[in-house]
Amino acid sequence: MRSRLMTSTPATSACTRAYTDDSDSASWTSSAVCKAGQKDLMMGSDGQFSP
């Protein structure tokens, strides 16, 4: 839901915050996870997103 609120400032094309467990997330969530990480809305824990 937060990612929908971030439409005014798009994320860069390359994700600058990668999580070591990216492959555990559904593919359709990758854009939202990337945007939220870039805007520091979510930090993860020990390099993991923990979906």
Side-chain angles (χ1 to χ4, degrees):
M1 290 174 24
R2 286 183 178 179
S3 67
R4 291 181 184 174
L5 297 172
M6 297 182 292
T7 57
S8 61
T9 308
T12 60
S13 58
C15 192
T16 57
R17 184 174 303 251
Y19 299 99
T20 58
D21 59 349
D22 279 340
S23 62
D24 293 342
S25 298
S27 60
W28 59 268
T29 65
S30 61
S31 176
V33 170
C34 181
K35 283 190 236 178
Q38 285 178 330
K39 295 186 178 282
D40 292 329
L41 294 175
M42 115 184 146
M43 304 300 288
S45 176
D46 294 325
Q48 295 186 331
F49 172 59
S50 301

